[in-house]
Amino acid sequence: MTIKTTQTEASVEDFINDFAATSQKKQDGFELLKLMKEHTGYDPKMWGASIIGFGLYHYKSDRSKQEGDWPLVGFSPRKAAISLYVYSAAPGQEELLKRLGKFTMGKGCIYVKKLEDINTDVLKEMISGTIDFLEAKWGKQ
């Protein structure tokens, strides 16, 4: 099985400018870009057509033969909401969710309408916890 979402050389800045549906999403996109780059120390890379990822890890599924590379953390300024890929069910993250602010949860994904709805200090704690958890589980790349 081939993974559809892989790292590309597309411009992250062009993607935010072209893809973010509103000026608020664009502003939030660039703010998240700066926050995640500074906090993770990784340069942003496009993953597939619509995910901005930071760092990467190689995983192997326990339930299938699927394996591949995936960003440690990331986001996408989608039309309905900003998708945050920062949740890994790492120890302590349930507590952090209670302090994060206004969001909804998908399968391993956090959706926020706008960045000001959440506490960015708590977001940074989640990012750190997820990176530590994934690197401990899968190894540092």
Side-chain angles (χ1 to χ4, degrees):
M1 181 174 194
T2 308
I3 307 297
K4 291 180 187 149
T5 305
T6 57
Q7 190 172 304
T8 74
E9 292 303 314
S11 165
V12 170
E13 290 81 5
D14 288 351
F15 167 71
I16 294 173
N17 279 319
D18 296 342
F19 191 77
T22 64
S23 59
Q24 179 70 52
K25 286 265 183 336
K26 199 173 288 193
Q27 181 183 330
D28 287 351
F30 281 109
E31 204 170 314
L32 272 170
L33 188 66
K34 182 175 186 270
L35 180 149
M36 286 191 174
K37 182 178 178 173
E38 287 176 358
H39 191 68
T40 66
Y42 292 110
D43 286 328
K45 299 283 183 183
M46 287 303 301
W47 286 75
S50 63
I51 295 174
I52 299 167
F54 298 81
L56 71 93
Y57 67 98
H58 188 83
Y59 68 90
K60 292 181 181 180
S61 173
D62 296 332
R63 295 184 292 264
S64 70
K65 293 187 186 314
Q66 187 169 321
E67 68 175 281
D69 294 330
W70 195 250
L72 290 165
V73 293
F75 74 96
S76 184
R78 300 184 191 277
K79 191 173 187 176
I82 298 166
S83 301
L84 298 172
Y85 305 99
V86 299
Y87 181 79
S88 63
Q93 285 200 334
E94 289 300 321
E95 275 308 306
L96 291 174
L97 283 175
K98 293 175 186 169
R99 297 184 3 240
L100 185 60
K102 200 168 137 186
F103 68 93
T104 56
M105 193 88 181
K107 189 178 178 185
C109 183
I110 295 169
Y111 302 106
V112 298
K113 293 287 184 198
K114 49 190 187 289
L115 200 52
E116 69 183 29
D117 286 346
I118 60 169
N119 181 326
T120 54
D121 290 333
V122 174
L123 176 62
K124 288 177 190 175
E125 285 184 63
M126 290 194 84
I127 290 168
S128 296
T130 291
I131 290 173
D132 291 348
F133 176 78
L134 292 173
E135 287 181 342
K137 181 173 181 173
W138 300 107
K140 195 170 174 133
Q141 297 290 311

